[in-house]
């Protein structure tokens, strides 16, 4: 019996992950592909065996059997499309970032609560095997008290990537390297370390300033729980399509991982128990072909399954929309600190 009838709204580069994630679930019907360009929606529907397509969101939302929608349009439209879907009585799964403005995120959350509907924001790398393993080691005290963390991410983007109506624009993307590509590693950093406060940040359009209004490179210093000091750096100006390194140092152990695909454990030091767990993890990490862009991985499958389970069971999904809103608040603090040159607290 079908318990979820789903539509994908926005058929761009991340949409194949949603077609895959909903398509592999036995109790889900993927019925609609919707895009502002009807020919894009038609082609996407044909490729993924989706029976209906449209460029008219109202037509899609008017389907009385439709249960839920993916919102994978440009960043600036996330809030408006999500609110329209919620008002139409549909559960909503939003691609990251939640919205471009914290106030918009809060309004969408309020609408979902008022409507009693499930609202979730994609954080697929939280479901990566290496990330969940390290999170469990931290929770069990195998790393002791975290004192230091670092993230370095390189994600090459050529000029053609910004040759559309929204990438690289302040109003359309809400930022650039950080809020788009860097969101993934920053989200994992927050998951592993806890909430973070921006102490200082610097950025610039060092190589792509002719095609973007925002940052192509950023570095920041942050503080976390118990005084933890973290550094974060992202650029889209190099030659490597996608490379991350996330390092954690604690009083009882340290690790270095990535969220490239597949995510890997590069280094581990600590107790006999920690080293044994690390060796087990290395043996369990396997390569599974992703459905779309390689570095997006396969984490969408697990989060989409969680989203559908939350719909069936009438409960909040994981991660919570409050957590996703908090992430947006920290990213907003990044941008405020870059503009002002001063530390920014999160309100």
């Amino acid at each position: 019996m079908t318990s979820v009838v789903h539509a994908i709204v926005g058929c761009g580069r991340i949409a194949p992950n949603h077609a895959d994630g909903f398509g592999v679930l036995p109790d889900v019907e993927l019925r609609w592909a919707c895009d502002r360009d009807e020919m894009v929606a038609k082609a996407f529907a044909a490729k993924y065996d989706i029976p209906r397509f449209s460029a008219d969101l109202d037509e899609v939302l008017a389907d009385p059997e439709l249960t839920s929608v993916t919102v994978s349009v440009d960043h600036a439209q996330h809030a408006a499309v999500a609110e329209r879907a919620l008002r139409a009585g549909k559960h909503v799964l939003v691609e990251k970032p939640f919205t471009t403005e914290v106030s918009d995120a809060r309004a969408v959350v309020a609408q979902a609560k008022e409507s009693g509907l499930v609202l979730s924001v994609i954080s697929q790398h939280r479901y990566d095997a290496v990330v969940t393993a390290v999170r469990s080691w931290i929770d069990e005290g195998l790393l002791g008290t975290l004192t230091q963390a670092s993230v370095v991410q390189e994600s090459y983007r050529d000029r053609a990537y910004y040759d559309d109506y929204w990438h690289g624009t302040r109003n359309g993307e809400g930022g650039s390297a950080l809020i788009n590509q860097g969101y993934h590693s920053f989200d994992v950093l927050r998951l592993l370390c806890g909430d973070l406060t921006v102490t200082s940040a610097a950025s610039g359009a060092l190589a792509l300033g002719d095609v973007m209004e925002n940052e192509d490179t950023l570095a920041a210093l942050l503080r976390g729980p118990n005084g933890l000091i973290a550094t974060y750096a992202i650029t889209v100006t190099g030659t490597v399509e996608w490379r991350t390194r996330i390092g954690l140092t604690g009083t009882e152990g340290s690790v270095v991982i990535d969220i490239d695909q597949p995510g890997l454990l590069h280094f581990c030091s600590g107790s006999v128990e920690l080293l044994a767990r690390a060796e087990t993890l290395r043996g369990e990490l396997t390569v599974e072909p992703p459905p779309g862009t390689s570095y997006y991985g396969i984490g969408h499958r697990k989060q989409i399954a969680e989203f559908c389970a939350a719909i069936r069971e009438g409960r909040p999904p994981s991660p919570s929309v409050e957590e996703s809103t908090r992430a947006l608040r920290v990213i907003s603090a990044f941008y405020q600190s870059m503009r002002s040159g001063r530390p920014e607290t999160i309100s």
Side-chain angles (χ1 to χ4, degrees):
M1 177 181 179
T2 298
S3 63
V4 174
V5 177
H6 193 73
I8 296 175
V9 180
C11 299
R13 58 190 287 134
I14 196 63
N17 295 72
H18 289 264
D20 173 77
F22 284 98
V24 298
L25 295 175
D27 57 350
V28 172
E29 177 191 345
L30 185 51
R31 180 177 292 182
W32 287 94
C34 181
D35 193 273
R36 65 199 300 267
D37 185 329
E38 186 173 41
M39 295 308 295
V40 170
K42 181 178 180 180
F44 187 84
K47 183 174 182 179
Y48 293 99
D49 197 26
I50 301 171
R52 302 182 192 178
F53 66 90
S54 181
D56 184 352
L57 179 59
D58 288 334
E59 178 186 10
V60 176
L61 296 179
D63 182 346
E65 296 180 340
L66 186 69
T67 308
S68 57
V69 302
T70 283
V71 177
S72 54
V73 296
D74 58 274
H75 294 179
Q77 300 302 314
H78 282 190
V81 174
E83 285 194 282
R84 286 173 67 182
L86 290 166
R87 290 195 185 101
K90 317 304 181 186
H91 306 284
V92 174
L93 179 62
V94 186
E95 259 300 330
K96 63 81 191 165
F98 190 177
T99 61
T100 57
E101 300 291 338
V102 176
S103 58
D104 289 340
R106 289 170 173 158
V108 177
V109 171
Q111 179 66 44
K113 289 183 176 180
E114 180 181 333
S115 304
L117 295 165
V118 173
L119 172 65
S120 185
V121 181
I122 287 292
S123 289
Q124 81 267 24
H125 289 293
R126 290 180 173 230
Y127 292 85
D128 289 358
V130 68
V131 174
T132 58
V134 172
R135 173 65 185 272
S136 70
W137 301 345
I138 293 169
D139 290 345
E140 294 171 35
L142 293 176
L143 270 65
T145 300
L146 294 181
T147 56
Q148 186 269 342
S150 64
V151 173
V152 177
Q153 180 174 340
E154 182 179 354
S155 305
Y156 170 71
R157 292 295 180 271
D158 61 16
R159 283 170 170 75
Y161 179 81
Y162 300 97
D163 188 22
D164 61 15
Y165 70 98
W166 70 279
H167 281 111
T169 67
R170 292 188 182 92
N171 291 334
E173 198 169 15
S176 197
L178 171 62
I179 201 169
N180 197 333
Q181 292 76 32
Y183 186 99
H184 299 287
S185 57
F186 185 64
D187 186 53
V188 170
L189 180 68
R190 291 187 64 252
L191 173 70
L192 299 178
C193 294
D195 215 355
L196 299 166
T197 298
V198 181
T199 298
S200 61
S203 68
L206 306 184
L208 297 168
D210 57 326
V211 292
M212 65 158 59
E213 301 172 346
N214 307 310
E215 80 288 350
D216 61 25
T217 304
L218 174 146
L221 180 67
L222 307 103
R223 283 279 189 176
N226 302 309
L228 175 143
I229 297 172
T231 57
Y232 178 88
I234 167 74
T235 188
V236 294
T237 64
T239 59
V240 178
E241 184 179 44
W242 190 271
R243 178 181 180 273
T244 60
R245 289 294 183 273
I246 302 172
L248 301 172
T249 300
T251 55
E252 301 295 329
S254 57
V255 297
V256 178
I257 66 172
D258 70 44
I259 54 170
D260 310 342
Q261 293 302 311
L264 296 175
L265 174 63
H266 294 279
F267 174 82
C268 183
S269 175
S271 67
V272 172
E273 172 66 15
L274 179 59
L275 295 177
R277 298 280 284 277
E279 191 63 26
T280 299
L281 173 65
R282 287 191 175 103
E284 293 174 345
L285 294 174
T286 59
V287 178
E288 187 171 357
T293 303
S294 62
Y295 48 80
Y296 293 156
I298 60 170
H300 280 79
R301 292 178 186 171
K302 292 182 179 179
Q303 187 164 0
I304 287 169
E306 159 65 13
F307 172 71
C308 292
I311 291 173
R312 290 192 302 269
E313 297 165 15
R315 60 168 175 80
S318 178
S320 69
V321 286
E322 289 77 15
E323 168 64 12
S324 301
T325 303
R326 186 77 174 174
L328 183 62
R329 289 162 65 188
V330 182
I331 288 172
S332 296
F334 260 108
Y335 285 118
Q336 291 164 10
S337 182
M338 286 188 289
R339 289 191 294 267
S340 68
R342 299 189 301 272
E344 293 291 339
T345 56
I346 304 166
S347 60

